[in-house]
């Protein structure tokens, strides 16, 4: 029957060139799949930059393309962090912008006119294809099985843990950084295996590119020394390790120092010290290794112990002294929060307030990696079985990566590559065993044994356990069952990935989607509506005050100066905004005047049930402000006596008088029939009488009330304070009420 | 791998107790007669002092006798780099690190060049041939030149 065609197929797969061709085609298909699955957001919504940080990257890229590289390098931005400004060129990772700028100019040179926005939107998907290829290369270094690399590439291409940061439009540093991470690891393994300076130098160059692209480069800076250290501890020091590591470190450190934002950090901060320490340690080891070859081994042992322990102790001492004397900067706060997950919450609220810095919840692992997460330990176990230098790397990476992925949601991203590689090793091992069409033939082995000699045979007949059993799968049934099960798992995995990508990770979060009762999609476009309003109705230099989350978007979409943005480099300035938001109007108004604020922007989800609004973030503003002004802003006063965070009639006076509360609920009750005003996020009924605003005028409220913009009033013409001026405007009614009451009292008397 | 196996193999002939303190050929007998640990350590230390100059003498003999002329040239260059690096560091400690960029790029140029030269020396060493199946001496030199170019490019760029 079909035996003939199977034969043809089998023969076709045998030639070396055919295999290479197949491999190239498969890799291309994988890259295609990786790109395609990231395009959901473009198809569902449109070609638009997502979220928060990408808006800044996009703005910087436009600046780079418009003004050229040198201007970009020296860019001082006076339209953010008003009135401080930001030395943007020196405080960003330029890799992403330079990459898209280079692509832009290359395409221009090829006479392909393309909008820079489309390059930015599609950069992440394009690089995901390259990441898949890098994963293929890395896995091929680990195992001789040719299928493992292809599986790893496929996993890498569609694993949601990576897709979460690389859908089309997610124009963030991670978009290219993960490719660089995996590729740097591949080059490192290659350099280590061959002991080649050139590969080490390439590794250093890509490490430099990585440093230019993402703050997560510290992951490599710590992982490679750790790998080297583990190898040394296992007694696997080799000249190859010396050559590859020292070349990488000497060149890579210099390369990393070229980035202004990194500057002297590699020689000054503790995060970079392990790499330096291992570098020095390897020099000693190389020297010892040389001495070992020169003198008898007993003498050498004396030499070794004295020398090594003495120097190591000395180095440690120097490090401790230098750290305590302040020569080397102490570990930074973000670093502490990696060890103690409660640290940031107590000491640095600005770090803890970012949702992606929260510890990972357990389901997230399964959600982001699905079946890979249970294949991952199997793959690591298989690495233990072989345990060459490169397998040690996978083991070390797995431990390191798992820990950090557990500590911070965002670092799931760095775990994903090793999970893909390990899972691919596990699956390919299973498939190689069970898909082997030939059944092992016990007779072959017996013949071998007989030919070995009669003495052996005699021993074998006596003791059965001494003979090596013939390992293999005989039954076709078990083969087909396992193969079918694996295939089913793989298919389910693809389903899961597609589902997660389309449902969880493809929303631009600038544009929201909802479903109408009839099932059709309804686009909620309040953000762009409001930013467009700002762009068209305010002065070019009108300063907008908002919580820092929206700073980049206001800068990118509305093109207006902001007080604080997502860069969060100045905690005090953010605390100032937090204080203005959380204080009474009389306190806030001078702050806003001092900072020349023209408009205040708040995000309010009460009408729509949009939970990411400012009232829900409000406690962070209070906490951050409290960190600077503990006497004036107190978190406790925003909670009811029973310790609840309430916005309805039971809310505390401080809460009701805070500017944020007033701006959010101003005039809100007028939307509803009396007594029915409802906040759909908090699920509470609001009091009938809404808050009054004296120092602000409502300027704009978007269609679904998500964004509300207020104009800061000028000083009163008659020199009154705003409260009395507003009371005068409302005047007559109140006075009458007063009079009535007074009159009534009089009458009673 | 090779090193991992070699050391245990050489120490196994000793009794376990002796193996702990064995430093020179005469150590086992001394160790067996003195069971107290501190005495063992003292004896071992004494013998170490005796053996130190022997170690150094062996080392120099080995170096002078069995190093090819070309390798010695490389070593001279490495020694020069160490001296230059030490001088720069001394200057930094004594006279302050004011143009820190300049100091860093100068110092890392010597350090980087040192490790690259050391790598070249390792790769061209006949004894290490088995470690580098894919690196011929010519290839090693080409790598060395390429890496040095990269290194000095970064240094010049960083020097301000």
């Amino acid at each position: 029957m079909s035996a003939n065609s199977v034969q043809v197929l089998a023969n076709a797969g045998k030639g070396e060139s055919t295999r290479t061709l197949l491999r190239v085609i498969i890799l291309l298909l994988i890259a295609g799949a990786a790109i395609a699955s990231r395009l959901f957001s473009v198809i569902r919504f449109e070609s638009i930059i997502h979220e928060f940080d990408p808006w800044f990257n996009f703005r910087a890229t436009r600046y780079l393309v418009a003004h050229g590289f040198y201007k970009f390098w020296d860019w001082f931005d006076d339209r953010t962090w008003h009135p401080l400004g930001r030395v943007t060129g020196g405080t960003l990772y330029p890799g992403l912008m330079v990459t898209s700028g280079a692509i832009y100019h290359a395409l221009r040179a090829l006479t392909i006119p393309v909008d820079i926005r489309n390059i930015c939107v599609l950069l992440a998907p394009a690089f995901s294809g390259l990441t898949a290829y890098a994963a293929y290369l890395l896995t091929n270094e680990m195992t001789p099985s040719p299928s493992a690399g292809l599986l790893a590439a496929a996993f890498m291409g569609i694993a949601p843990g990576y897709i979460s940061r690389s859908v089309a439009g997610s124009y963030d540093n991670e978009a290219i950084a993960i490719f660089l991470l995996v590729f740097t690891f591949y080059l490192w393994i290659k350099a280590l295996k061959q002991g080649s300076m050139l590969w080490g130098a390439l590794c250093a160059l890509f490490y430099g590119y990585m440093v230019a692209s993402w703050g997560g480069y510290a992951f490599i800076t710590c992982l490679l020394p750790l790998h080297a250290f583990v190898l040394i501890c296992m007694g696997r020091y080799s000249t190859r390790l010396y050559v590859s590591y020292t070349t990488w470190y000497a060149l890579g450190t210099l390369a990393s120092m070229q980035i202004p934002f990194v500057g002297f950090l590699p020689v000054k901060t503790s995060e970079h010290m392990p790499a330096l320490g291992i570098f020095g340690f390897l020099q000693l080891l190389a020297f010892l290794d040389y001495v070992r070859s020169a003198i008898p081994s007993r003498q050498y042992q004396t030499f070794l112990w004295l020398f090594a322990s003495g120097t190591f102790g000395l180095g440690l001492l120097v490090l401790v002294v230098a750290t305590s004397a302040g020569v080397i900067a102490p570990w930074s706060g973000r670093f502490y929060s990696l060890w103690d997950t409660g640290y940031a919450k107590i000491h640095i609220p600005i770090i803890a307030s970012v949702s992606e810095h929260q510890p990972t919840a357990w389901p997230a692992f399964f959600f982001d990696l699905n079946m890979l997460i249970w294949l991952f330990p199997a793959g690591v176990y298989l690495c233990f079985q072989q345990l060459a230098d490169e397998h040690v790397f996978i083991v070390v990476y797995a431990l390191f990566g798992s820990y950090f992925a557990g500590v911070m949601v965002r670092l799931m991203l760095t775990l994903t590559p090793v999970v893909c590689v390990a899972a691919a090793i596990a699956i390919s091992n299973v498939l190689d065993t069970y898909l082997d069409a030939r059944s092992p033939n016990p007779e072959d082995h017996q013949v071998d044994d007989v030919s070995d000699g009669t003495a052996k045979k005699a021993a074998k007949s006596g003791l059965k356990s001494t003979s090596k059993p013939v390992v293999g799968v005989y039954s076709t049934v078990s083969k087909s069952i396992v193969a079918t099960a694996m295939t089913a798992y793989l298919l389910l995995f693809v389903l899961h990935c597609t589902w997660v990508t389309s449902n969880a990770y493809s929303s631009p979060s600038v544009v929201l989607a909802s479903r109408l009762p009839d099932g059709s999609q309804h686009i909620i476009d309040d953000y762009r509506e409001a930013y467009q309003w700002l762009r068209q109705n305010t002065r070019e230099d009108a300063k907008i005050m908002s919580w820092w989350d929206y700073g980049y978007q206001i800068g990118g979409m509305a093109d207006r100066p902001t007080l604080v943005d997502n860069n969060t480099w100045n905690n005090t300035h953010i605390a100032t905004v937090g204080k203005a938001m959380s204080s009474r109007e009389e306190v806030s108004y001078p702050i806003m005047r001092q900072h020349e604020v023209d408009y205040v922007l708040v995000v309010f989800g009460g009408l729509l049930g949009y939970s990411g609004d400012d009232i829900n973030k409000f406690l962070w503003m209070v906490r951050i402000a409290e960190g600077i002004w503990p006497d004036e802003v107190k978190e406790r006063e925003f909670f009811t006596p029973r310790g609840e965070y309430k916005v309805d009639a039971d809310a505390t006076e401080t809460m009701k008088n805070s500017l944020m509360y007033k701006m959010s609920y101003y005039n809100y009750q007028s939307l509803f029939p009396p007594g029915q005003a409802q906040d759909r996020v908090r699920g509470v009924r609001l009091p009938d009488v809404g808050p009054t605003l004296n120092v602000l005028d409502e300027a704009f409220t978007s269609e679904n009330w998500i964004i509300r913009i207020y104009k800061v009033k000028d000083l009163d013409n008659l020199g009154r304070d705003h409260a009395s001026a507003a009371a005068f405007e409302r005047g007559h009614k109140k006075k009458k009420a007063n009079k009535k009451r007074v009159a009534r009292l009089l009458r009673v008397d | 791998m090779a090193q991992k196996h070699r050391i245990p193999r050489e120490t196994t002939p000793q009794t376990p107790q002796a193996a702990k303190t064995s430093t020179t050929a005469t150590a086992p007998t001394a160790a067996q007669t003195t069971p107290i640990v501190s005495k063992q350590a003292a004896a071992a230390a004494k013998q170490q002092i005796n053996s130190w100059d022997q170690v150094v003498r062996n080392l120099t003999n080995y170096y002078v006798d069995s190093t090819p002329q070309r390798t010695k040239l490389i070593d001279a260059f490495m020694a020069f780099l160490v001296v230059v690096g030490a001088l720069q560091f001394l200057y930094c400690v004594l006279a302050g690190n004011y143009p820190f960029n300049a100091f860093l790029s100068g110092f890392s140029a010597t350090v980087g060049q040192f490790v690259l030269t050391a790598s070249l020396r390792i790769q061209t060493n006949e004894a290490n041939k088995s470690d580098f199946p894919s690196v011929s001496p010519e290839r090693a030199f080409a790598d060395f030149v390429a890496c040095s170019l990269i290194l000095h490019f970064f240094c010049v760029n960083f020097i301000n």
Side-chain angles (χ1 to χ4, degrees):
Chain A
M1 26 173 269
S2 66
N4 201 16
S5 61
V6 168
Q7 193 70 40
V8 170
L9 262 179
N11 283 340
K14 263 176 192 151
E16 189 56 39
S17 58
T18 343
R19 283 186 177 200
T20 316
L21 181 69
L22 273 177
R23 220 168 281 162
V24 170
I25 291 173
I26 291 173
L27 278 173
L28 283 177
L29 286 177
I30 288 172
I35 292 170
S37 72
R38 283 163 171 80
L39 295 182
F40 274 113
S41 57
V42 172
I43 294 164
R44 291 259 173 82
F45 299 93
E46 58 189 282
S47 170
I48 184 183
I49 304 288
H50 291 189
E51 295 191 317
F52 305 106
D53 287 15
W55 276 100
F56 167 73
N57 298 328
F58 178 50
R59 180 162 163 255
T61 312
R62 272 193 313 197
Y63 188 89
L64 169 72
V65 169
H67 295 92
F69 184 72
Y70 286 105
K71 273 260 176 94
F72 173 70
W73 206 249
D74 301 328
W75 184 19
F76 180 83
D77 190 359
D78 58 354
R79 292 179 74 77
T80 53
W81 292 92
H82 184 84
L84 307 170
R86 174 185 171 192
V87 191
T88 312
T91 54
L92 50 60
Y93 291 103
L96 182 71
M97 297 103 198
V98 173
T99 306
S100 23
I103 294 174
Y104 175 77
H105 287 300
L107 288 179
R108 278 289 158 112
L110 292 172
T111 64
I112 304 173
V114 58
D115 187 13
I116 185 72
R117 177 177 52 103
N118 286 323
I119 292 177
C120 293
V121 166
L122 295 177
L123 189 76
F127 266 85
S128 72
L130 289 176
T131 313
Y133 180 60
Y136 165 79
L137 291 175
L138 180 65
T139 315
N140 270 357
E141 294 297 316
M142 298 299 153
T143 160
S145 162
S147 60
L150 292 174
L151 276 169
F155 290 158
M156 195 69 224
I158 59 172
Y162 174 39
I163 286 187
S164 66
R165 289 320 202 84
S166 63
V167 291
S170 173
Y171 180 56
D172 213 342
N173 291 332
E174 290 92 331
I176 62 171
I178 296 303
F179 160 68
L180 293 171
L181 182 85
V182 180
F183 201 68
T184 311
F185 286 152
Y186 159 71
L187 290 172
W188 162 247
I189 295 297
K190 196 88 184 164
L192 181 65
K193 268 181 151 180
Q194 296 198 356
S196 152
M197 272 188 270
L198 193 66
W199 285 101
L202 276 179
C203 180
L205 286 181
F206 270 87
Y207 170 73
Y209 191 8
M210 172 80 183
V211 175
S213 308
W214 193 35
Y217 74 88
F219 191 72
I220 302 183
T221 320
C222 291
L223 192 58
L224 297 195
L226 190 65
H227 180 214
F229 185 66
V230 169
L231 286 181
I232 294 167
C233 287
M234 291 169 79
R236 290 185 179 205
Y237 168 77
S238 64
T239 45
R240 280 176 289 118
L241 180 64
Y242 177 85
V243 172
S244 49
Y245 185 85
T246 52
T247 313
W248 166 73
Y249 183 77
L251 294 180
T253 309
L254 260 178
S256 68
M257 287 195 290
Q258 311 293 317
I259 310 303
F261 191 34
V262 176
F264 300 139
L265 291 185
V267 290
K268 285 203 158 167
T269 55
S270 305
E271 286 99 312
H272 298 82
M273 284 304 128
L276 179 63
I278 295 293
F279 178 72
F281 194 46
L282 273 176
Q283 308 297 330
L284 296 179
L285 278 180
F287 178 62
L288 289 175
D289 196 47
Y290 174 73
V291 172
R292 185 165 61 89
S293 65
I295 57 178
S297 69
R298 295 244 176 65
Q299 286 181 0
Y300 172 69
Q301 272 192 323
T302 331
F303 192 80
L304 177 88
W305 285 116
L306 275 173
F307 197 78
S309 55
T311 337
F312 192 72
L314 206 72
L316 206 65
L317 198 74
V318 168
L319 184 68
V320 169
V321 168
T323 310
S324 57
V327 180
I328 301 168
W331 307 84
S332 65
R334 237 168 261 239
F335 188 81
Y336 276 125
S337 63
L338 284 180
W339 302 110
D340 176 7
T341 45
Y343 179 88
K345 205 167 185 180
I346 305 163
H347 295 98
I348 334 164
I350 189 87
I351 290 177
S353 74
V354 182
S355 62
E356 60 189 23
H357 291 167
Q358 306 295 334
T360 319
W362 278 110
F365 281 98
F366 189 75
F367 187 71
D368 273 354
L369 299 165
N370 195 253
M371 70 159 187
L372 300 186
I373 200 66
W374 53 260
L375 286 168
F376 172 46
V380 174
Y381 169 74
L382 288 173
C383 285
F384 263 112
Q385 279 199 324
Q386 294 163 310
L387 214 64
D389 290 354
E390 61 269 24
H391 300 113
V392 176
F393 179 75
I394 291 292
V395 173
V396 170
Y397 183 6
L399 288 174
F400 208 62
S402 316
Y403 176 77
F404 286 122
V407 171
M408 231 188 236
V409 177
R410 180 150 81 139
L411 294 178
M412 182 72 91
L413 207 55
T414 54
L415 177 69
T416 306
V418 72
V419 170
C420 291
V421 171
I425 291 174
I427 287 204
S428 80
N429 208 349
V430 170
L431 288 184
D432 283 353
T433 314
Y434 282 92
L435 278 184
D436 195 355
R438 286 162 296 152
S439 157
N441 200 348
E443 277 103 49
D444 292 351
H445 293 266
Q446 271 173 13
V447 169
D448 279 357
D449 285 342
V450 171
S451 62
D452 271 357
T454 46
K456 220 175 191 179
K457 201 183 171 192
K460 190 180 156 198
S461 60
L463 256 176
K464 211 177 181 188
S465 61
T466 52
S467 71
K468 232 184 178 182
V470 182
V471 179
V473 185
Y474 292 87
S475 139
T476 331
V477 180
S478 67
K479 271 184 188 173
S480 57
I481 286 175
V482 171
T484 320
M486 272 344 261
T487 319
Y489 281 137
L490 288 172
L491 290 176
L492 278 177
F493 175 66
V494 173
L495 272 185
H496 174 85
C497 290
T498 320
W499 179 79
V500 168
T501 310
S502 78
N503 283 299
Y505 291 137
S506 290
S507 166
S509 90
V510 175
V511 182
L512 307 166
S514 69
R515 297 236 168 256
L516 294 178
D518 62 352
S520 65
Q521 197 182 38
H522 176 62
I523 299 284
I524 298 161
D525 210 356
D526 280 37
Y527 279 99
R528 287 197 293 180
E529 184 192 346
Y531 295 137
Q532 189 67 15
W533 183 87
L534 275 178
R535 195 184 260 273
Q536 291 180 345
N537 295 287
T538 60
R539 273 181 298 117
E540 179 86 358
D541 60 343
K543 282 86 186 170
I544 317 287
M545 181 172 93
S546 70
W547 189 234
W548 61 261
D549 294 20
Y550 314 105
Y552 279 165
Q553 291 186 347
I554 294 172
M557 282 192 257
D559 190 27
R560 290 291 174 270
T562 52
L563 258 67
V564 291
D565 63 27
N566 311 41
N567 183 238
T568 65
W569 66 272
N570 190 327
N571 190 32
T572 315
H573 213 56
I574 290 177
T576 311
V577 172
K579 186 184 171 192
M581 294 288 196
S582 54
S583 305
R584 287 173 298 118
E585 283 181 84
E586 301 87 78
V587 181
S588 306
Y589 186 68
I591 298 178
M592 293 192 285
R593 291 292 299 183
Q594 279 162 7
H595 291 85
E596 299 176 314
V597 175
D598 296 302
Y599 292 90
V600 186
L601 181 148
V602 289
V603 174
F604 173 66
L607 182 63
L608 211 64
Y610 172 60
S611 61
D613 68 349
D614 277 346
I615 290 284
N616 278 356
K617 294 172 183 170
F618 189 36
L619 280 180
W620 287 112
M621 306 183 203
V622 174
R623 270 174 213 152
I624 291 169
E626 191 183 8
I628 306 286
W629 292 281
D631 298 333
E632 295 173 61
V633 186
K634 295 193 182 69
E635 187 183 351
R636 186 67 196 81
E637 290 174 355
F638 288 85
F639 288 105
T640 59
R642 291 172 60 199
E644 291 164 311
Y645 180 63
K646 290 225 165 188
V647 294
D648 54 5
D650 298 339
T652 61
E653 278 309 301
T654 320
M655 182 74 188
K656 280 183 174 169
N657 284 327
S658 68
L659 195 65
M660 174 56 72
Y661 181 88
K662 285 185 168 181
M663 286 192 294
S664 292
Y665 294 107
Y666 184 66
N667 262 346
Y668 183 58
Q669 81 284 354
S670 66
L671 275 180
F672 298 88
Q676 310 218 343
Q678 212 187 9
D679 182 327
R680 292 197 180 120
V681 179
R682 266 70 54 175
V684 291
R685 181 159 296 179
L686 296 166
D688 277 344
V689 184
T692 51
L693 268 174
N694 295 326
V695 300
L696 301 172
D697 278 328
E698 182 176 0
F700 174 81
T701 296
S702 62
E703 185 189 354
N704 299 296
W705 287 58
I706 286 185
I707 299 220
R708 311 196 65 182
I709 299 171
Y710 292 86
K711 185 168 176 30
V712 179
K713 279 187 190 165
D714 207 347
L715 288 174
D716 188 60
N717 282 337
L718 299 175
R720 298 165 297 181
D721 62 282
H722 284 99
S724 52
F728 183 76
E729 293 288 315
R730 267 177 268 120
H732 301 295
K733 240 185 232 169
K734 235 182 191 173
K735 261 183 190 164
K736 266 181 193 164
N738 265 353
K739 264 184 189 168
K740 251 185 195 170
R741 211 178 59 189
V742 172
R744 205 181 288 153
L745 278 171
L746 277 175
R747 205 180 288 168
V748 169
D749 280 339
Chain B
M1 277 305 264
Q3 185 201 359
K4 191 178 153 197
H5 290 297
R6 198 180 303 164
I7 294 169
R9 204 183 301 143
E10 277 167 357
T11 49
T12 35
Q14 317 279 339
T15 57
Q17 192 197 10
K20 265 184 236 160
T21 57
S22 73
T23 52
T24 62
T26 52
T29 50
Q32 274 159 5
T33 50
T34 51
I36 305 162
V37 181
S38 60
K39 270 191 182 175
Q40 280 181 19
K46 225 174 224 173
Q47 269 149 5
Q48 272 163 20
I49 294 162
N50 290 339
S51 65
W52 262 114
D53 57 81
Q54 203 189 339
V55 170
V56 174
R57 209 179 318 123
N58 276 353
L59 210 58
T60 44
N61 285 346
Y62 173 82
Y63 181 76
V64 173
D65 294 342
S66 61
T67 312
Q69 189 58 37
R70 233 190 257 178
T71 313
K72 277 182 183 164
L73 209 62
I74 291 179
D75 286 340
F77 183 46
M78 282 164 70
F80 166 73
L81 286 170
V82 168
V83 170
V84 172
L87 279 179
Q88 286 184 0
F89 194 75
L90 208 66
Y91 177 85
C92 172
V93 169
L94 294 179
N97 61 6
Y98 163 58
F100 196 44
N101 277 78
F103 164 69
L104 267 187
S105 47
F107 189 65
S108 37
T110 51
V111 172
Q113 196 63 67
F114 177 82
V115 294
L116 289 179
T117 319
S119 303
L120 176 68
R121 187 189 193 284
I122 286 172
Q123 290 188 344
T124 49
N125 196 341
E126 281 300 314
N128 292 329
K129 201 103 206 184
S130 59
D131 266 353
F132 302 99
S134 63
V135 182
S136 65
E138 290 78 16
R139 161 87 192 270
F141 189 72
D143 283 3
F144 170 74
V145 170
C147 291
S148 301
L149 281 177
I150 296 173
L151 175 79
H152 289 287
F153 167 74
F154 281 139
C155 284
V156 169
N157 189 31
F158 193 58
I159 206 162
N160 267 359

